[in-house]
Amino acid sequence: MSATIRPALPADVRGINRLVEPMTHTGILLGKDLVSYYEAVQEFLVAVDADGEVVGCGALHVMWEDLAEVRTLAVHDEHRGTGLGHQLLDALLERAVQLGLERVFCLTFEVEFFTRHGFEVMSEEVDPDVYVQLLRSPDEGIAEFLDLARVKPNTLGNTRMIKALPTQS
């Protein structure tokens, strides 16, 4: 089964929701309202099959001038093990490089998957000035990145991971 990866369109949002929604029941992914997907559609890449159905997705959410988070990375069960998840993540990382970002963060249960892409378990501290600015965000992903007590136990994934990106010359 082959799929084409491209930027998501508003017309893809219901397909993204259909793909992600079953994974929210098991706690693998965070559930979102449709309006949240529409508001963030420009952050998403989708993988579509020959019939135009969304069979994979992932988002890159910029958190700071040098930092983004990979969010909502999902592949339909029929496409697992085909490398599609790896292709989506590689495309999101390339997008981060194109944006001039230095680091990409994720929250995941799939530690081995992200480790194969150069992510490491996060142990770094956040610069105090940046920390104060990030605290102002209502975004739960930023709260997880900051490791705030209010989001414990971790609801979005067991492990906070980060990857340094190559800089563009």
Side-chain angles (χ1 to χ4, degrees), residues 4-166:
T4 302
I5 296 174
R6 62 167 171 75
L9 304 170
D12 296 318
V13 166
R14 291 187 187 276
I16 292 169
N17 188 59
R18 278 192 299 275
L19 175 66
V20 171
E21 199 269 337
M23 296 176 203
T24 67
H25 297 295
T26 59
I28 294 172
L29 292 175
L30 179 66
K32 296 179 183 172
D33 295 321
L34 276 175
V35 68
S36 296
Y37 289 125
Y38 282 111
E39 290 174 343
V41 71
Q42 70 280 358
E43 297 180 355
F44 275 86
L45 296 178
V46 291
V48 293
D49 66 11
D51 297 325
E53 293 294 316
V54 175
V55 295
C57 67
L60 184 73
H61 178 77
V62 175
M63 298 170 69
W64 198 248
E65 65 189 8
D66 65 342
L67 177 68
E69 178 184 5
V70 169
R71 293 182 171 181
T72 320
L73 185 60
V75 173
H76 191 280
D77 286 342
E78 292 177 8
H79 289 264
R80 293 227 174 116
T82 66
L84 185 57
H86 294 283
Q87 292 171 354
L88 278 163
L89 181 56
D90 286 342
L92 291 168
L93 293 173
E94 179 57 33
R95 183 183 261 190
V97 169
Q98 291 169 357
L99 288 170
L101 300 171
E102 296 174 10
R103 300 171 297 157
V104 177
F105 163 74
C106 71
L107 299 162
T108 187
F109 291 108
E110 301 294 335
V111 173
E112 286 184 35
F113 174 84
F114 282 94
T115 298
R116 287 190 297 242
H117 288 269
F119 283 77
E120 297 176 350
V121 174
M122 194 172 144
S123 60
E124 69 183 58
E125 296 294 322
V126 177
D127 177 270
D129 292 334
V130 173
Y131 185 90
V132 168
Q133 293 296 318
L134 290 175
L135 275 177
R136 296 178 180 173
S137 174
D139 187 277
E140 290 298 306
I142 290 178
E144 285 284 356
F145 174 75
L146 296 175
D147 202 24
L148 299 179
R150 71 176 171 82
V151 290
K152 299 300 175 205
N154 186 333
T155 57
L156 302 178
N158 285 334
T159 306
R160 299 178 326 140
M161 300 185 79
I162 198 155
K163 174 184 173 104
L165 298 173

